Amino acid sequence: MSLFRRIRSSLSHTWSLYRSDFRNMDATQIFLLILLTLLSVFMLLPLVFIFNHAFKPLHELFLFPPTFFVKQGTWQNFIDLLNASQDTFLPVTRFILNSVIVTVLATVGMVILGALCAYPLSKHPFPGRKVIFGVILLSIMIAVETMGIPRYIVVKNLGIMNTYWGHVLPILALPVGVFLLKQFMDQVPNELMEAAKLDGASEWQIFMRIMIPIVTPAMATITILSFQTAWGNSETSALFMQNDAMKTLPFYVESLTSNLANSVARQGVAAAASLIMFIPNLIIFLLSQRKVIQTMAHSGIK
Amino acid sequence: MSNEVPPVIQQPLSVDRPRLSEKFGCRLSHLKQEVWKFRLSYLFVAPFLIVFTLFVIVPVITGIGLSFTYFNSIEFPKWAGWMNYQNLFSQDVIFLKHVVPNSFKFALFVGPIGYVLAFVLAWLIAQLPSTIRVWYALAMYAPSLTGGIAMVVVWQVMFTGDRTGYINSFLLKWGFIDQPVLFTIDKDYLMIIMIIVSIWSSMGLGFLAILAGILNVDKQLYEAARIDGIRSRLQEIWYITIPMMKPQMLFAAVMAIVGTLKAGGIGTQLSGMNPTPDYSGQLFMNHIDDFGFTRLELGYASAVSIVLLIVTILLSRFLWMLLGPKEDE
């Protein structure tokens, strides 16, 4: 009961905040609000569309004139997606499972490696750190995607083709992540660490007990970034996986949607698959959007 | 900075610094000591650096090496000198006639328009009260969350070539056209559609950086400026907001450049073919894929990707000069 009351009071508190904000707006702000609302609707239109499309029954998908909103919603497209097998006789659940495994491993790996690397770069004046940071900064400017061929050669020589390692390792180094974390850590006062050192804390303890809690917002941002990178990554499937059972969901969606414009079949299924691709991204971003904005304030290249 | 006294503790070795001849050896042992002192730091950096070296640095170096060879993925690469580059800039008609102009056009529209739009939108959103601000930021950012692949479905259906396509149906209804247009496979429309779709989904990390940068500017500066005679909002933006958030602007600019130049999937995804119809949507990346994975001329494809790499870095450097920290800052 008390929990319910607490939720209600916090809700009414938020609502009163909104109300006072709306009341205090001047004419320009109201004009802006209307303008931005229209723009947002325009930006979100395709997303709303995909939600509707995924739930449309077959006869609504190819209606003329086409309708935007779904009339009789159905799960049929999702059921078809589960039953659909490409030329491979593999159920889509296999690709989803692969994607989940790869995404979890890669996201955790990217965040840990990024934080470990950013900490000394920010706080230890070790020889060579300027060079390392310079190279990382430079690598933000290049698109790794263009290096597909040499990366293929590296992966082949490491013998990790057709394994989960072949999915995870190539995307594990996220230079933008290290960069953002390092910029964020630069704001943490050195005195804090020196005090801890005087109290006898080891370097590892300082990192775990002081640094990580302070940079949580940045960690949340990197988590989103890593998740997006890993979840939407179809490159490793296309290049390094010959075994179809090792391919991931984005690759499957890509093969579903290729040449969709001129073939009518599978539109609903493709929409359903796209929705499955999009939802996790949205949820993760919604959960941590405030922290993202907080982090991006330190994103500047100085 | 210059008149601060350098910390004394850091240079215990400089007390008995020997003559010039021995200076180098001393430096080396000093460096050794320093490296040993920070061995833990290297341990922290190592995991990232190993992966980074394996999958970023080694591929780039291999790519540079391969670009000077003839390599068909079966035989051992044969040394070809500057041959690939010579062919690229003198004989490759597709590259010169389609890929370069297309990429140029695409980057010129998507890059600057996306960047300016990101700034304008971020500034407008920053003027709203903080409680509602978040929702508008999310609305702008959401398209970039979809990450390309998922959205192809939407755009393909929107631009479907017969009358059941949404855009076609709309235009037919209002009498702009009398026959459905084959948007995504018509060479006259593909490029425009690619540009629209890319701009729509370009409000990503760079946009968030700009928004955060604007929100971070000290409010007192605006008040001080008002006293100093700044009148309009535009003057405020030009004299205070932009100079105060130059670092974020630079970050966003770099992200915009990289995002535009590495885009390439979009044309193939929309039209469903590589090469795109009449090469109308052919960008750098498509050219690389075409030669690398369809024709298996890996050496040549590497040369194209090295050219792309150099273009990206040069452009980033150029922006760095424009927006980066100056000597006196």
Side-chain angles (χ1 to χ4, degrees):
Chain A
M1 213 42 210
S2 74
L3 181 75
F4 177 69
R5 209 170 290 158
R6 214 184 297 159
I7 291 174
R8 209 176 59 178
S9 84
S10 89
L11 269 180
S12 77
H13 176 68
T14 326
W15 176 239
S16 72
L17 266 180
Y18 271 83
R19 228 174 26 189
S20 73
D21 267 349
F22 273 112
R23 238 179 241 159
N24 292 337
M25 282 202 287
D26 51 24
T28 2
Q29 277 187 319
I30 289 167
F31 171 73
L32 261 179
L33 197 70
I34 295 165
L35 183 81
L36 283 171
T37 308
L38 289 176
L39 255 171
S40 309
V41 169
F42 176 73
M43 293 294 275
L44 291 176
L45 217 53
L47 296 178
V48 177
F49 169 80
I50 206 165
F51 268 91
N52 279 291
H53 216 63
F55 290 103
K56 275 181 194 169
L58 195 64
H59 62 271
E60 273 186 52
L61 281 172
F62 302 108
L63 217 56
F64 179 81
T67 50
F68 194 81
F69 292 106
V70 56
K71 288 196 194 91
Q72 297 163 300
T74 166
W75 289 96
Q76 192 54 46
N77 289 327
F78 292 89
I79 296 164
D80 286 350
L81 176 68
L82 280 180
N83 295 331
S85 51
Q86 286 289 83
D87 327 312
T88 55
F89 303 108
L90 284 163
V92 70
T93 38
R94 171 80 210 197
F95 301 115
I96 295 178
L97 177 75
N98 283 346
S99 263
V100 170
I101 293 174
V102 169
T103 307
V104 169
L105 282 177
T107 307
V108 172
M110 282 191 238
V111 174
I112 293 176
L113 257 60
L116 279 176
C117 181
Y119 171 58
L121 280 181
S122 170
K123 291 300 173 197
H124 298 167
F126 64 89
R129 95 168 160 159
K130 284 222 171 101
V131 179
I132 293 174
F133 188 61
V135 172
I136 290 175
L137 204 57
L138 193 71
S139 75
I140 292 179
M141 297 176 195
I142 65 171
V144 205
E145 286 83 349
T146 58
M147 292 291 132
I149 296 150
R151 263 150 74 97
Y152 173 84
I153 295 171
V154 170
V155 170
K156 203 174 172 188
N157 282 323
L158 286 176
I160 53 172
M161 297 274 251
N162 294 318
T163 64
Y164 285 120
W165 292 115
H167 278 299
V168 175
L169 289 179
I171 56 170
L172 213 49
L174 190 72
V176 185
V178 175
F179 171 76
L180 286 175
L181 275 168
K182 190 240 170 205
Q183 298 300 86
F184 203 86
M185 286 176 180
D186 282 350
Q187 320 291 320
V188 179
N190 287 329
E191 289 78 17
L192 214 59
M193 266 154 290
E194 276 154 29
K197 218 176 259 175
L198 284 181
D199 286 345
S202 70
E203 209 53 74
W204 179 249
Q205 280 172 325
I206 296 176
F207 175 71
M208 287 305 286
R209 298 248 178 93
I210 297 176
M211 213 40 163
I212 294 298
I214 295 178
V215 299
T216 323
M219 298 281 280
T221 310
I222 308 306
T223 310
I224 294 181
L225 265 185
S226 314
F227 182 87
Q228 260 175 272
T229 316
W231 182 248
N233 172 37
S234 64
E235 193 210 355
T236 51
S237 291
L239 296 185
F240 313 140
M241 304 294 142
Q242 278 80 45
N243 182 357
D244 281 326
M246 287 303 296
K247 291 186 170 170
T248 53
L249 188 64
F251 183 81
Y252 179 70
V253 176
E254 209 167 64
S255 67
L256 269 183
T257 56
S258 65
N259 221 356
L260 196 68
N262 313 305
S263 72
V264 283
R266 287 221 187 94
Q267 245 187 42
V269 175
S274 303
L275 194 61
I276 294 180
M277 282 296 301
F278 173 62
I279 295 285
N281 278 337
L282 184 70
I283 293 172
I284 290 213
F285 184 74
L286 280 178
L287 286 179
S288 44
Q289 28 90 6
R290 266 175 211 283
K291 287 181 172 143
V292 174
I293 305 254
Q294 212 179 326
T295 312
M296 296 314 289
H298 303 292
S299 66
I301 300 176
K302 285 173 205 161
Chain B
M1 276 301 277
S2 55
N3 51 12
E4 262 177 42
V5 183
V8 196
I9 318 140
Q10 287 204 344
Q11 281 140 332
L13 285 160
S14 63
V15 179
D16 50 357
R17 181 168 285 178
R19 287 172 191 287
L20 267 173
S21 53
E22 292 168 18
K23 209 170 172 182
F24 185 72
C26 177
R27 275 258 180 88
L28 208 66
S29 76
H30 178 75
L31 186 72
K32 245 192 223 158
Q33 255 181 350
E34 281 279 292
V35 169
W36 184 242
K37 198 173 112 198
F38 287 108
R39 59 193 181 279
L40 218 59
S41 314
Y42 292 105
L43 211 63
F44 271 80
V45 189
F48 180 87
L49 277 193
I50 291 169
V51 185
F52 183 73
T53 311
L54 270 178
F55 294 99
V56 179
I57 295 179
V58 171
V60 169
I61 293 168
T62 320
I64 295 173
L66 276 183
S67 72
F68 290 104
T69 63
Y70 172 81
F71 184 35
N72 58 8
S73 90
I74 302 160
E75 297 160 55
F76 192 78
K78 266 188 290 216
W79 183 254
W82 290 95
M83 201 58 186
N84 288 327
Y85 291 95
Q86 270 172 16
N87 284 344
L88 184 61
F89 286 111
S90 62
Q91 310 216 324
D92 190 339
V93 181
I94 297 166
F95 179 74
L96 296 172
K97 227 177 114 187
H98 296 287
V99 175
V100 172
N102 280 345
S103 298
F104 190 67
K105 199 162 125 194
F106 182 79
L108 205 66
F109 278 101
V110 177
I113 291 182
Y115 186 60
V116 171
L117 212 61
F119 183 82
V120 172
L121 283 177
W123 189 82
L124 291 177
I125 288 174
Q127 308 306 309
L128 293 175
S130 62
T131 40
I132 9 181
R133 196 186 287 145
V134 179
W135 298 103
Y136 288 94
L138 176 65
M140 303 298 162
Y141 184 71
S144 78
L145 272 177
T146 58
I149 298 164
M151 278 302 106
V152 173
V153 172
V154 179
W155 297 105
Q156 279 192 348
V157 175
M158 287 259 179
F159 289 107
T160 304
D162 54 29
R163 60 190 192 137
T164 63
Y166 287 71
I167 309 282
N168 265 327
S169 153
F170 178 80
L171 292 177
L172 280 170
K173 192 177 160 198
W174 293 93
F176 289 113
I177 48 172
D178 359 295
Q179 270 189 356
V181 182
L182 289 167
F183 282 111
T184 58
I185 47 175
D186 189 315
K187 62 179 169 54
D188 297 328
Y189 290 103
L190 184 60
M191 192 54 161
I192 301 169
I193 296 174
M194 280 164 61
I195 290 172
I196 295 173
V197 174
S198 301
I199 291 179
W200 173 76
S201 61
S202 69
M203 302 294 140
L205 215 50
F207 164 72
L208 290 181
I210 292 179
L211 178 60
I214 293 175
L215 293 177
N216 227 23
V217 175
D218 195 346
K219 296 278 175 299
Q220 292 178 342
L221 281 174
Y222 293 117
E223 283 162 30
R226 224 161 282 153
I227 297 167
D228 284 347
I230 278 188
R231 288 205 188 82
S232 69
R233 281 285 171 88
L234 279 177
Q235 277 183 324
E236 256 181 29
I237 294 176
W238 187 252
Y239 288 110
I240 300 166
T241 316
I242 292 180
M244 284 308 288
M245 50 174 291
K246 259 187 178 176
Q248 278 86 9
M249 300 283 283
L250 182 58
F251 177 75
V254 170
M255 294 315 270
I257 290 177
V258 176
T260 348
L261 286 179
K262 82 175 176 196
I266 186 92
T268 334
Q269 283 165 357
L270 281 172
S271 64
M273 43 187 120
N274 186 22
T276 45
D278 274 340
Y279 297 103
S280 56
Q282 207 77 353
L283 303 179
F284 263 103
M285 281 301 289
N286 303 110
H287 205 57
I288 295 170
D289 283 350
D290 188 16
F291 273 91
F293 298 109
T294 314
R295 309 185 198 201
L296 288 179
E297 293 190 30
L298 300 187
Y300 191 73
S302 297
V304 182
S305 45
I306 296 301
V307 170
L308 176 59
L309 204 79
I310 294 169
V311 170
T312 322
I313 291 178
L314 283 181
L315 271 176
S316 299
R317 280 280 142 194
F318 171 70
L319 277 165
W320 200 287
M321 286 186 329
L322 227 60
L323 290 164
K326 302 283 182 302
E327 292 299 314
D328 53 333
E329 279 179 71

